[in-house]
Amino acid sequence: QPRTKDVEVEAGTKRSFRLLRGIEKLRKLLSTIPLARAMVESLGEDIDVQIEADRELLLRCGADEFGRVRSLLLEAKAACGDYATVSVEIVGGGTRMSVVHDLIGEVFSRTVVMGQKLD
């Protein structure tokens, strides 16, 4: 059974930055695997905490952002008018997330070619 401890984490503190780094690590891992764990070191006095999340949690937490991505894709498709979209170029580290690829496939079609630049 996991041990629990109360640790106060206030915004703008070293603890909050450590926690945010751990959450960012989870997000990056969840872009490629369905279940991820990350260790947040020194969250409290001699306290290291393992955090865990699955992709479903990521999708629920990011639902608003993913909705905005979908809206942006729909606007881009509408701007193309009658022209057939053959390829979509995506840029940035967040584009490796499978949900982004799924949204592109949903809006443009599963046969569209995706170019990807991670920088």
Side-chain angles (χ1 to χ4, degrees):
Q1 173 160 330
R3 293 182 337 182
T4 60
K5 293 196 179 215
D6 290 332
V7 177
E8 190 170 320
V9 179
E10 295 180 23
T13 63
K14 288 182 181 180
R15 288 179 182 178
S16 69
F17 290 114
R18 288 183 194 118
L19 182 57
L20 286 173
R21 274 196 310 263
I23 292 169
E24 179 66 13
K25 185 182 228 181
L26 275 181
R27 186 196 62 80
K28 288 178 180 178
L29 289 168
L30 290 171
S31 71
T32 58
I33 58 176
L35 177 67
R37 292 183 182 96
M39 185 63 70
V40 180
E41 297 178 356
S42 301
L43 194 57
E45 191 70 30
D46 294 327
I47 298 174
D48 297 341
V49 177
Q50 180 171 293
I51 56 177
E52 178 180 299
D54 62 14
R55 193 170 287 149
E56 288 302 316
L57 178 61
L58 174 69
L59 294 175
R60 285 194 311 270
C61 290
D64 290 342
E65 288 77 13
F66 297 134
R68 285 195 290 275
V69 170
R70 187 176 191 284
S71 295
L72 179 65
L73 292 169
L74 287 169
E75 287 177 31
K77 183 177 182 180
C80 293
D82 293 335
Y83 294 101
T85 305
V86 177
S87 69
V88 174
E89 188 74 22
I90 54 180
V91 179
T95 60
R96 72 172 60 105
M97 298 176 72
S98 60
V99 65
V100 173
H101 292 252
D102 292 345
L103 288 170
I104 292 168
E106 173 189 320
V107 171
F108 287 99
S109 88
R110 299 280 175 210
T111 59
V112 72
V113 176
M114 278 187 265
Q116 188 171 5
K117 298 197 183 322
L118 298 177
D119 53 353

